[in-house]
Amino acid sequence: MTQGPLMPKATAVWLVENTSLAFEQIAEFCKLHPLEVKGIADGEVAAGIKGLDPITTGQLTRDEIERAQKVPNYKLKVAVSKVKLPEVKRTTKGPRYTPLSRRQDRPNAILWLLRNHPELKDAQVIRLVGTTKSTIQQIRERTHWNSASLQPMDPVTLGLCTQIDLDFEVQRSAKDRPAALPADGGATLLPTEVSTATDYTETDEHHRSVRDEKLNADSVFAKLKGMRNTNEDDDED
């Protein structure tokens, strides 16, 4: 995979404004998606980014641009620099470095992270987009100088971090979060066996009342019979 320009979006802005190159050619050279280049041409992407001339920075030659404009399928090649710069080793300490062309997108990325992943700590947001704790606090409290114009944007889409880095931080914050205890749901419905069973209390009470009535009737008849026998004995005397 060939190396792209130092400031791909700014370079793409300049190529869109100053050449007749196809979107696919600019996207291939700047390592961007063709739809992103089309968005730059429509003014929907990279608004406010000043174009960077790749000719003056030695990344392209004028002959290379003219050759590509004549042949739509021609792929632009980065000019070989005559000066060899030492390779900069990436360090894990400190916030992530953000190119100048993308620094204005950081507040939008921070707002997106705060809304979609509130579980992330400030240190994790700093590692992802390369910002400061004070900036995160200002955006969270809506005291940032540009709060009214901020729009939440995915930092992966903006190129501020990779999807792997974002997933890693989200998974780490999920591990640090304590397990949620089941909430007390209060009273629950009775089981079907209980709710559909016969109410034995009322049934027993009904049988008891019938039995008492029968006993009372028998005692009354017994008394009447006893009284009749007594009367008959008196008449015989």
Side-chain angles (χ1 to χ4, degrees):
M1 183 176 180
T2 58
Q3 184 181 4
L6 296 177
M7 300 175 65
K9 262 189 184 174
T11 303
V13 170
W14 189 92
L15 292 173
V16 168
E17 293 177 349
N18 297 276
T19 68
S20 59
L21 294 171
F23 293 157
E24 290 76 9
Q25 290 176 303
I26 299 176
E28 175 70 23
F29 177 72
C30 298
K31 307 305 175 188
L32 301 174
H33 195 278
L35 293 178
E36 192 172 3
V37 178
K38 185 179 182 300
I40 293 175
D42 295 338
E44 299 175 355
V45 180
I49 295 181
K50 184 179 180 181
L52 177 67
D53 186 355
I55 299 175
T56 58
T57 56
Q59 299 180 90
L60 270 179
T61 61
R62 194 172 299 277
D63 294 338
E64 185 75 4
I65 294 176
E66 292 177 356
R67 187 181 298 112
Q69 288 179 148
K70 295 177 182 178
V71 183
N73 296 329
Y74 182 82
K75 295 182 179 180
L76 292 166
K77 299 176 182 178
V78 180
V80 180
S81 176
K82 297 180 180 180
V83 180
K84 296 293 183 180
L85 298 176
E87 183 179 356
V88 179
K89 295 183 179 180
R90 181 179 174 182
T91 177
T92 56
K93 296 181 179 180
R96 177 188 296 271
Y97 173 76
T98 306
L100 293 174
S101 60
R102 297 177 181 173
R103 290 183 183 178
Q104 65 176 4
D105 296 329
R106 282 189 299 191
N108 295 328
I110 295 171
L111 181 60
W112 188 91
L113 290 173
L114 294 178
R115 288 189 179 182
N116 293 275
H117 296 286
E119 71 276 9
L120 292 177
K121 300 178 181 178
D122 290 352
Q124 293 176 298
V125 178
I126 292 173
R127 283 197 296 269
L128 287 172
V129 300
T131 183
T132 61
K133 191 169 184 178
S134 61
T135 303
I136 298 174
Q137 192 68 19
Q138 290 173 3
I139 295 176
R140 181 182 287 114
E141 297 175 353
R142 301 193 64 83
T143 58
H144 190 268
W145 65 272
N146 197 28
S147 293
S149 302
L150 293 182
Q151 297 292 333
M153 300 182 70
D154 189 348
V156 177
T157 305
L158 295 174
L160 296 174
C161 66
T162 64
Q163 188 65 49
I164 296 176
D165 292 337
L166 177 59
D167 294 341
F168 176 77
E169 296 295 346
V170 171
Q171 292 176 3
R172 174 184 288 183
S173 62
K175 291 180 181 179
D176 296 338
R177 195 188 321 166
L181 297 175
D184 185 8
T188 59
L189 294 176
L190 294 174
T192 308
E193 295 80 2
V194 177
S195 60
T196 58
T198 307
D199 192 346
Y200 292 103
T201 303
E202 295 181 359
T203 305
D204 293 344
E205 185 67 25
H206 174 71
H207 289 308
R208 188 181 298 112
S209 300
V210 173
R211 184 182 59 189
D212 293 343
E213 291 178 359
K214 185 177 181 180
L215 291 175
N216 293 334
D218 293 341
S219 61
V220 170
F221 286 124
K223 290 180 179 180
L224 290 175
K225 186 176 181 181
M227 292 175 63
R228 184 177 60 184
N229 293 334
T230 303
N231 294 333
E232 290 177 353
D233 293 340
D234 292 341
D235 292 339
E236 290 178 356
D237 292 339

